[in-house]
Amino acid sequence: NATHIETLKVLSGPNSLEAAGVIADKLQLQYAVDARNLAASWPGLQGKLQASGKLSGKFSDPEVTAMINASDMAYQQYRIDTMDANIIWQDSQADGKADINGFSLPGLQGKSLSMNISGTPEQHDIQILLDASELQLNATAQGIWQAPQWQGQINQLEIDQPEMGYWINVQPIKLQASKDSLRIEQSCFTQNITSLCSTVQWQETNTKITATLKDLPLKTLLQPLAAEAQVEGKLNGELELQGPVDALRGQAQFKLEQGLVTVDAGDDPLTLELRDGLVELHIAPDSNKAELRLKAGTASILAQATTGSLSRGTAARIKGNLNAEIPQLSQVSMLLPELTEVNGR
Protein backbone atom coordinates (compact mmCIF):
# COMPACT_ATOMS: atom_id res chain seq x y z
CA ASN A 1 0.00 0.00 0.00
CA ALA A 2 1.16 3.51 -0.79
CA THR A 3 0.04 6.91 0.42
CA HIS A 4 0.15 9.64 -2.23
CA ILE A 5 0.33 13.20 -0.98
CA GLU A 6 -0.21 15.85 -3.63
CA THR A 7 0.04 18.75 -1.19
CA LEU A 8 -0.22 18.65 2.59
CA LYS A 9 -0.05 21.82 4.64
CA VAL A 10 -0.53 21.91 8.39
CA LEU A 11 -0.79 25.23 10.23
CA SER A 12 -0.52 25.66 14.01
CA GLY A 13 -0.39 29.28 15.06
CA PRO A 14 2.68 30.82 13.37
CA ASN A 15 4.09 27.38 12.54
CA SER A 16 3.65 25.36 9.36
CA LEU A 17 4.49 21.94 7.92
CA GLU A 18 4.31 21.22 4.19
CA ALA A 19 4.79 17.84 2.50
CA ALA A 20 4.29 16.28 -0.92
CA GLY A 21 5.14 12.89 -2.43
CA VAL A 22 4.69 9.17 -1.82
CA ILE A 23 4.99 7.17 1.42
CA ALA A 24 5.36 3.44 0.72
CA ASP A 25 8.00 0.72 0.79
CA LYS A 26 9.84 3.10 -1.49
CA LEU A 27 9.76 6.72 -0.39
CA GLN A 28 9.60 9.86 -2.48
CA LEU A 29 8.72 12.66 -0.09
CA GLN A 30 9.59 16.35 0.11
CA TYR A 31 8.97 18.38 3.26
CA ALA A 32 9.44 21.83 4.76
CA VAL A 33 8.99 23.00 8.35
CA ASP A 34 8.77 26.64 9.34
CA ALA A 35 8.25 26.88 13.10
CA ARG A 36 8.89 30.42 14.29
CA ASN A 37 7.46 29.81 17.75
CA LEU A 38 7.58 26.16 18.82
CA ALA A 39 5.83 26.90 22.12
CA ALA A 40 2.66 27.75 20.20
CA SER A 41 2.40 24.17 18.92
CA TRP A 42 4.29 22.10 21.50
CA PRO A 43 3.81 23.31 25.10
CA GLY A 44 7.06 23.15 27.05
CA LEU A 45 9.23 23.42 23.92
CA GLN A 46 10.73 26.80 23.06
CA GLY A 47 12.63 28.21 20.13
CA LYS A 48 12.61 28.49 16.36
CA LEU A 49 13.08 25.72 13.78
CA GLN A 50 13.33 25.76 10.00
CA ALA A 51 13.94 22.54 8.09
CA SER A 52 13.54 21.28 4.56
CA GLY A 53 14.60 18.27 2.57
CA LYS A 54 13.71 15.02 0.86
CA LEU A 55 13.30 11.36 1.81
CA SER A 56 13.66 8.73 -0.92
CA GLY A 57 14.60 5.10 -1.43
CA LYS A 58 13.67 2.19 0.82
CA PHE A 59 11.46 2.96 3.80
CA SER A 60 13.67 0.73 6.00
CA ASP A 61 16.90 2.41 4.80
CA PRO A 62 16.02 5.81 3.32
CA GLU A 63 18.15 8.30 1.47
CA VAL A 64 18.05 11.67 3.17
CA THR A 65 18.64 15.27 2.17
CA ALA A 66 18.08 17.78 4.95
CA MET A 67 18.79 21.37 5.88
CA ILE A 68 18.12 22.40 9.50
CA ASN A 69 18.38 25.77 11.22
CA ALA A 70 17.35 26.19 14.85
CA SER A 71 17.80 28.87 17.50
CA ASP A 72 16.90 29.45 21.15
CA MET A 73 15.74 25.85 21.54
CA ALA A 74 14.86 24.76 25.07
CA TYR A 75 13.02 21.90 26.74
CA GLN A 76 13.11 21.36 30.49
CA GLN A 77 16.85 21.15 31.40
CA TYR A 78 18.02 21.01 27.77
CA ARG A 79 19.02 24.04 25.70
CA ILE A 80 20.54 24.79 22.27
CA ASP A 81 21.38 28.38 21.33
CA THR A 82 21.93 27.78 17.61
CA MET A 83 22.15 24.76 15.33
CA ASP A 84 22.91 24.59 11.61
CA ALA A 85 23.02 21.30 9.72
CA ASN A 86 23.21 20.17 6.10
CA ILE A 87 23.01 16.44 5.47
CA ILE A 88 23.13 14.34 2.30
CA TRP A 89 22.91 10.56 2.72
CA GLN A 90 22.48 8.77 -0.60
CA ASP A 91 23.79 5.61 -2.27
CA SER A 92 26.68 7.47 -3.89
CA GLN A 93 27.20 10.30 -1.41
CA ALA A 94 27.45 10.79 2.34
CA ASP A 95 28.24 14.38 3.18
CA GLY A 96 27.12 16.34 6.18
CA LYS A 97 28.02 19.08 8.57
CA ALA A 98 26.29 19.98 11.82
CA ASP A 99 27.30 22.82 14.13
CA ILE A 100 25.81 23.57 17.54
CA ASN A 101 26.87 26.69 19.40
CA GLY A 102 25.90 27.06 23.04
CA PHE A 103 24.08 24.13 24.65
CA SER A 104 23.38 22.67 28.05
CA LEU A 105 22.13 19.39 29.46
CA PRO A 106 22.23 18.00 32.99
CA GLY A 107 25.84 18.07 34.16
CA LEU A 108 27.29 19.66 31.02
CA GLN A 109 27.53 23.24 29.76
CA GLY A 110 28.78 23.31 26.18
CA LYS A 111 30.33 26.02 24.04
CA SER A 112 30.26 24.15 20.73
CA LEU A 113 29.69 20.74 19.14
CA SER A 114 30.46 20.00 15.51
CA MET A 115 30.25 16.88 13.36
CA ASN A 116 31.47 16.35 9.81
CA ILE A 117 30.93 13.34 7.58
CA SER A 118 32.28 12.76 4.06
CA GLY A 119 32.40 9.90 1.57
CA THR A 120 29.67 7.39 0.82
CA PRO A 121 27.51 5.18 3.06
CA GLU A 122 29.77 2.26 2.11
CA GLN A 123 32.94 4.14 3.11
CA HIS A 124 32.92 7.42 5.02
CA ASP A 125 34.97 9.50 7.44
CA ILE A 126 33.59 11.17 10.57
CA GLN A 127 35.01 13.91 12.78
CA ILE A 128 33.47 15.12 16.05
CA LEU A 129 34.69 18.09 18.11
CA LEU A 130 33.24 18.97 21.52
CA ASP A 131 34.14 22.04 23.56
CA ALA A 132 32.41 22.15 26.94
CA SER A 133 33.19 23.50 30.38
CA GLU A 134 33.71 20.01 31.84
CA LEU A 135 34.82 18.07 28.77
CA GLN A 136 36.95 18.47 25.63
CA LEU A 137 36.65 15.76 22.98
CA ASN A 138 38.21 15.20 19.56
CA ALA A 139 37.31 12.06 17.60
CA THR A 140 37.95 10.83 14.08
CA ALA A 141 36.50 7.61 12.67
CA GLN A 142 35.98 5.58 9.48
CA GLY A 143 32.90 3.48 8.88
CA ILE A 144 30.77 1.33 6.62
CA TRP A 145 26.95 1.36 6.67
CA GLN A 146 25.30 -1.90 5.66
CA ALA A 147 21.71 -1.73 6.86
CA PRO A 148 20.85 -2.26 9.61
CA GLN A 149 24.42 -2.14 11.00
CA TRP A 150 27.28 0.35 11.13
CA GLN A 151 30.78 -0.96 11.56
CA GLY A 152 34.11 0.76 11.55
CA GLN A 153 36.85 2.05 13.77
CA ILE A 154 37.66 5.13 15.81
CA ASN A 155 41.13 6.15 14.70
CA GLN A 156 41.67 8.87 17.26
CA LEU A 157 39.82 9.72 20.46
CA GLU A 158 41.13 12.45 22.75
CA ILE A 159 39.30 13.23 25.98
CA ASP A 160 40.25 16.02 28.39
CA GLN A 161 38.33 16.40 31.65
CA PRO A 162 39.35 18.72 34.51
CA GLU A 163 39.30 16.09 37.25
CA MET A 164 40.49 13.04 35.31
CA GLY A 165 42.88 14.82 32.94
CA TYR A 166 43.83 14.08 29.33
CA TRP A 167 43.38 10.60 27.80
CA ILE A 168 44.08 9.32 24.29
CA ASN A 169 43.53 5.95 22.63
CA VAL A 170 46.57 3.73 22.04
CA GLN A 171 45.31 2.07 18.84
CA PRO A 172 42.22 2.22 16.59
CA ILE A 173 39.02 1.09 18.33
CA LYS A 174 36.95 -1.34 16.27
CA LEU A 175 33.20 -1.38 16.81
CA GLN A 176 29.88 -2.56 15.40
CA ALA A 177 26.58 -0.85 16.20
CA SER A 178 22.91 -1.28 15.39
CA LYS A 179 19.69 -0.32 17.15
CA ASP A 180 19.76 -3.63 19.09
CA SER A 181 23.43 -4.21 19.81
CA LEU A 182 26.85 -2.65 20.32
CA ARG A 183 30.21 -4.38 20.22
CA ILE A 184 33.48 -2.59 21.02
CA GLU A 185 36.62 -4.67 20.76
CA GLN A 186 39.44 -4.03 23.20
CA SER A 187 40.05 -0.30 23.49
CA CYS A 188 42.97 1.10 25.47
CA PHE A 189 43.59 4.66 26.62
CA THR A 190 46.69 6.13 28.22
CA GLN A 191 47.50 9.08 30.42
CA ASN A 192 51.20 9.40 31.13
CA ILE A 193 52.02 6.02 32.80
CA THR A 194 48.37 5.05 33.32
CA SER A 195 46.41 2.72 31.02
CA LEU A 196 42.72 1.86 30.92
CA CYS A 197 41.52 -1.00 28.68
CA SER A 198 37.98 -2.27 28.17
CA THR A 199 35.70 -4.39 25.99
CA VAL A 200 31.94 -3.95 25.57
CA GLN A 201 29.28 -6.30 24.21
CA TRP A 202 25.82 -4.82 24.65
CA GLN A 203 22.39 -6.27 23.95
CA GLU A 204 19.19 -5.68 25.85
CA THR A 205 19.10 -9.29 27.00
CA ASN A 206 22.82 -9.89 27.51
CA THR A 207 25.60 -7.40 28.16
CA LYS A 208 29.23 -8.00 29.04
CA ILE A 209 31.71 -5.31 30.09
CA THR A 210 35.30 -5.85 31.19
CA ALA A 211 37.86 -3.21 32.17
CA THR A 212 41.43 -3.14 33.49
CA LEU A 213 43.12 -0.15 35.12
CA LYS A 214 46.90 -0.01 35.58
CA ASP A 215 49.10 2.46 37.45
CA LEU A 216 46.61 5.23 38.20
CA PRO A 217 48.38 7.76 40.45
CA LEU A 218 46.74 7.89 43.86
CA LYS A 219 46.87 11.70 43.79
CA THR A 220 44.40 11.69 40.88
CA LEU A 221 41.73 10.25 43.20
CA LEU A 222 42.79 12.27 46.23
CA GLN A 223 43.01 15.70 44.63
CA PRO A 224 41.86 17.71 47.71
CA LEU A 225 44.54 15.95 49.78
CA ALA A 226 47.12 16.27 46.99
CA ALA A 227 46.66 20.04 47.11
CA GLU A 228 47.86 20.05 50.74
CA ALA A 229 50.41 17.23 50.69
CA GLN A 230 52.60 15.08 48.46
CA VAL A 231 50.74 11.88 47.58
CA GLU A 232 52.54 8.86 46.10
CA GLY A 233 51.26 5.46 45.06
CA LYS A 234 49.57 3.69 42.16
CA LEU A 235 46.15 2.07 41.93
CA ASN A 236 45.35 -1.03 39.86
CA GLY A 237 41.92 -2.48 39.24
CA GLU A 238 39.68 -4.86 37.33
CA LEU A 239 35.95 -4.83 36.60
CA GLU A 240 33.57 -7.34 35.02
CA LEU A 241 29.81 -6.99 34.51
CA GLN A 242 27.48 -9.41 32.72
CA GLY A 243 23.76 -10.04 32.24
CA PRO A 244 20.65 -8.20 31.05
CA VAL A 245 20.95 -4.40 31.15
CA ASP A 246 18.45 -4.11 34.01
CA ALA A 247 19.95 -7.04 35.98
CA LEU A 248 23.72 -6.82 35.71
CA ARG A 249 25.95 -8.96 37.90
CA GLY A 250 29.66 -8.65 38.45
CA GLN A 251 32.52 -7.55 40.60
CA ALA A 252 35.28 -4.97 40.73
CA GLN A 253 38.55 -4.90 42.64
CA PHE A 254 41.01 -2.06 43.16
CA LYS A 255 44.38 -2.48 44.87
CA LEU A 256 46.91 -0.11 46.40
CA GLU A 257 49.98 -2.13 47.35
CA GLN A 258 51.78 0.80 48.90
CA GLY A 259 51.67 4.58 49.00
CA LEU A 260 53.00 7.54 50.91
CA VAL A 261 51.56 10.84 52.11
CA THR A 262 54.06 13.55 53.01
CA VAL A 263 53.03 16.80 54.68
CA ASP A 264 55.45 19.71 54.68
CA ALA A 265 56.05 20.66 58.32
CA GLY A 266 59.19 22.75 58.00
CA ASP A 267 62.44 21.00 58.81
CA ASP A 268 60.68 17.80 59.90
CA PRO A 269 58.09 16.70 57.25
CA LEU A 270 55.41 14.28 58.40
CA THR A 271 55.00 11.02 56.50
CA LEU A 272 52.23 8.41 56.52
CA GLU A 273 52.78 5.05 54.86
CA LEU A 274 49.81 3.44 53.11
CA ARG A 275 49.82 -0.29 52.29
CA ASP A 276 47.63 -3.30 51.55
CA GLY A 277 44.78 -1.13 50.28
CA LEU A 278 41.89 -3.07 48.77
CA VAL A 279 38.41 -2.10 47.58
CA GLU A 280 36.05 -4.90 46.48
CA LEU A 281 32.61 -4.41 44.94
CA HIS A 282 30.04 -7.15 44.33
CA ILE A 283 27.12 -6.13 42.14
CA ALA A 284 23.81 -8.00 41.75
CA PRO A 285 20.26 -7.05 40.71
CA ASP A 286 18.88 -7.21 44.27
CA SER A 287 21.88 -6.28 46.42
CA ASN A 288 25.35 -4.77 46.29
CA LYS A 289 28.31 -5.15 48.63
CA ALA A 290 31.42 -3.04 49.12
CA GLU A 291 34.46 -3.59 51.33
CA LEU A 292 37.48 -1.38 52.04
CA ARG A 293 40.70 -2.51 53.71
CA LEU A 294 43.64 -0.20 54.34
CA LYS A 295 46.66 0.07 56.59
CA ALA A 296 47.87 3.62 57.20
CA GLY A 297 50.94 3.97 59.35
CA THR A 298 50.16 2.07 62.56
CA ALA A 299 46.42 2.24 61.88
CA SER A 300 44.19 -0.32 60.17
CA ILE A 301 40.73 0.25 58.69
CA LEU A 302 38.02 -2.18 57.63
CA ALA A 303 34.74 -0.80 56.24
CA GLN A 304 31.84 -2.85 54.84
CA ALA A 305 28.55 -1.71 53.30
CA THR A 306 25.56 -3.30 51.59
CA THR A 307 22.67 -1.79 49.63
CA GLY A 308 19.49 -2.98 48.03
CA SER A 309 18.78 -2.68 44.30
CA LEU A 310 20.08 0.48 42.65
CA SER A 311 17.99 0.07 39.48
CA ARG A 312 14.44 0.30 40.79
CA GLY A 313 14.22 4.08 40.69
CA THR A 314 13.78 4.35 44.45
CA ALA A 315 16.11 5.31 47.25
CA ALA A 316 18.39 2.43 48.27
CA ARG A 317 18.95 1.74 51.96
CA ILE A 318 22.59 1.43 53.00
CA LYS A 319 23.86 -0.46 56.01
CA GLY A 320 27.32 -1.44 57.09
CA ASN A 321 30.02 -1.26 59.70
CA LEU A 322 33.37 0.38 60.25
CA ASN A 323 36.22 -1.07 62.30
CA ALA A 324 39.28 1.09 62.80
CA GLU A 325 42.28 0.78 65.08
CA ILE A 326 44.20 4.05 65.19
CA PRO A 327 46.95 4.12 67.82
CA GLN A 328 47.82 7.73 66.91
CA LEU A 329 44.81 9.89 66.06
CA SER A 330 47.18 12.64 64.94
CA GLN A 331 47.63 10.64 61.72
CA VAL A 332 44.01 11.37 60.82
CA SER A 333 44.79 15.04 60.20
CA MET A 334 47.26 14.00 57.49
CA LEU A 335 44.42 12.43 55.48
CA LEU A 336 41.93 15.16 56.43
CA PRO A 337 43.87 18.45 56.40
CA GLU A 338 40.82 20.42 57.55
CA LEU A 339 41.11 18.72 60.97
CA THR A 340 43.72 20.20 63.34
CA GLU A 341 45.06 19.36 66.78
CA VAL A 342 43.81 15.76 66.70
CA ASN A 343 45.23 13.66 69.53
CA GLY A 344 44.53 10.35 71.31
CA ARG A 345 44.12 6.76 70.14
Side-chain angles (χ1 to χ4, degrees):
N1 294 330
T3 301
H4 294 265
I5 302 174
E6 291 187 7
T7 302
L8 172 66
K9 188 169 185 177
V10 179
L11 299 175
S12 177
N15 306 318
S16 66
L17 166 65
E18 297 184 43
V22 178
I23 302 176
D25 290 340
K26 195 168 185 178
L27 291 169
Q28 191 64 41
L29 183 70
Q30 293 183 316
Y31 65 89
V33 177
D34 185 4
R36 303 180 184 183
N37 182 5
L38 289 168
S41 303
W42 294 275
L45 184 61
Q46 299 179 351
K48 302 175 183 179
L49 174 65
Q50 291 182 312
S52 61
K54 182 172 67 173
L55 299 174
S56 59
K58 296 179 181 179
F59 187 88
S60 58
D61 185 23
E63 297 182 356
V64 178
T65 301
M67 181 180 69
I68 303 170
N69 301 104
S71 61
D72 302 321
M73 299 277 288
Y75 179 73
Q76 295 180 356
Q77 301 178 40
Y78 302 88
R79 174 184 59 81
I80 294 176
D81 290 345
T82 64
M83 179 175 69
D84 296 292
N86 289 278
I87 301 168
I88 299 174
W89 185 270
Q90 300 175 344
D91 281 344
S92 59
Q93 185 179 12
D95 286 304
K97 181 176 176 60
D99 292 300
I100 296 175
N101 291 295
F103 65 93
S104 66
L105 51 111
L108 187 65
Q109 299 291 323
K111 297 178 183 178
S112 63
L113 172 63
S114 66
M115 184 180 78
N116 291 276
I117 183 170
S118 60
T120 67
E122 292 184 351
Q123 184 67 54
H124 50 268
D125 298 323
I126 301 171
Q127 181 178 33
I128 299 174
L129 293 171
L130 170 65
D131 183 3
S133 58
E134 295 297 322
L135 181 65
Q136 306 284 320
L137 184 146
N138 178 17
T140 60
Q142 294 177 315
I144 299 170
W145 171 252
Q146 294 179 330
Q149 178 177 271
W150 185 91
Q151 63 180 3
Q153 65 181 31
I154 301 172
N155 295 321
Q156 178 176 303
L157 180 55
E158 298 175 275
I159 301 172
D160 196 355
Q161 201 269 344
E163 294 181 358
M164 297 307 297
Y166 173 82
W167 295 80
I168 186 170
N169 62 310
V170 176
Q171 58 193 19
I173 303 169
K174 296 182 179 181
L175 60 91
Q176 298 175 348
S178 69
K179 67 176 183 179
D180 299 319
S181 65
L182 173 66
R183 178 186 176 89
I184 303 176
E185 297 185 13
Q186 186 178 57
S187 59
C188 291
F189 294 83
T190 62
Q191 180 189 88
N192 299 322
I193 63 170
T194 306
S195 67
L196 174 64
C197 297
S198 65
T199 62
V200 176
Q201 297 181 45
W202 170 82
Q203 289 181 317
E204 194 70 27
T205 56
N206 187 29
T207 294
K208 184 176 182 180
I209 301 171
T210 64
T212 302
L213 177 68
K214 292 184 179 181
D215 295 335
L216 178 68
L218 186 60
K219 64 181 181 181
T220 302
L221 297 180
L222 302 179
Q223 290 189 14
L225 177 59
E228 303 287 340
Q230 182 179 343
V231 179
E232 301 175 37
K234 299 173 185 176
L235 199 69
N236 295 284
E238 295 180 345
L239 175 142
E240 183 173 335
L241 296 172
Q242 190 167 3
V245 173
D246 58 353
L248 288 172
R249 294 180 179 273
Q251 58 275 329
Q253 186 180 85
F254 301 93
K255 293 181 178 181
L256 173 68
E257 293 185 358
Q258 59 183 5
L260 188 68
V261 178
T262 304
V263 177
D264 187 3
D267 295 334
D268 189 19
L270 302 175
T271 61
L272 179 64
E273 181 187 2
L274 307 176
R275 62 189 188 280
D276 301 334
L278 177 65
V279 175
E280 290 186 315
L281 304 174
H282 296 274
I283 301 163
D286 297 324
S287 65
N288 303 276
K289 298 178 181 180
E291 181 173 296
L292 165 67
R293 295 176 181 269
L294 178 65
K295 293 180 180 179
T298 57
S300 61
I301 300 171
L302 170 62
Q304 297 171 317
T306 60
T307 74
S309 173
L310 300 177
S311 61
R312 294 175 179 172
T314 59
R317 180 174 296 179
I318 301 176
K319 63 180 181 179
N321 58 74
L322 171 65
N323 296 311
E325 183 177 341
I326 308 176
Q328 299 179 38
L329 278 175
S330 58
Q331 295 175 343
V332 173
S333 61
M334 297 184 65
L335 297 176
L336 301 172
E338 63 272 16
L339 299 180
T340 60
E341 298 183 10
V342 180
N343 296 293
R345 67 174 282 138

